[in-house]
Amino acid sequence: MEYNIHDAKSSLSKLIVQALEGKEVVISKAGKPVVKLVRITSDKKKKREIGIYQGKTKITKEFFEPLPDEEISGFFS
């Protein structure tokens, strides 16, 4: 359904209900569609698996050594 801005202002609650029901709600300005009101669906995140990189990576002792002064100074320049 298409509504002009004035009608949308006065019946926003009704338009929200329509969008929640899955209906397409378009708001127009000067006869031109400018906004579509849609329901936000929750993005159910995929459950993270623990240990998927186990055995695929290796952290060497060099990882824990201090960085050279030139490299550290590059962070602050």
Side-chain angles (χ1 to χ4, degrees), residues 1-5 8 12 15 19 23-38:
M1 305 195 112
E2 191 168 329
Y3 298 88
N4 65 37
I5 291 177
L12 182 60
L15 299 181
K23 296 177 184 170
E24 185 174 285
V25 178
V26 176
I27 300 173
S28 300
K29 182 176 184 178
K32 295 182 181 179
V34 291
V35 176
K36 185 190 294 186
L37 188 63
V38 295

Side-chain angles (χ1 to χ4, degrees), residues 57-64:
T57 60
K58 184 177 181 180
I59 298 174
T60 62
K61 64 180 180 174
E62 289 84 15
F63 177 80
F64 298 100

Side-chain angles (χ1 to χ4, degrees), residues 29-57:
K29 182 176 184 178
K32 295 182 181 179
V34 291
V35 176
K36 185 190 294 186
L37 188 63
V38 295
R39 177 177 64 184
I40 296 175
T41 58
S42 65
D43 294 334
K44 292 190 178 185
K45 294 184 178 182
K46 183 180 171 185
K47 194 167 186 173
R48 293 171 36 176
E49 295 180 39
I50 298 174
I52 62 173
Y53 291 108
Q54 188 172 2
K56 297 179 182 178
T57 60

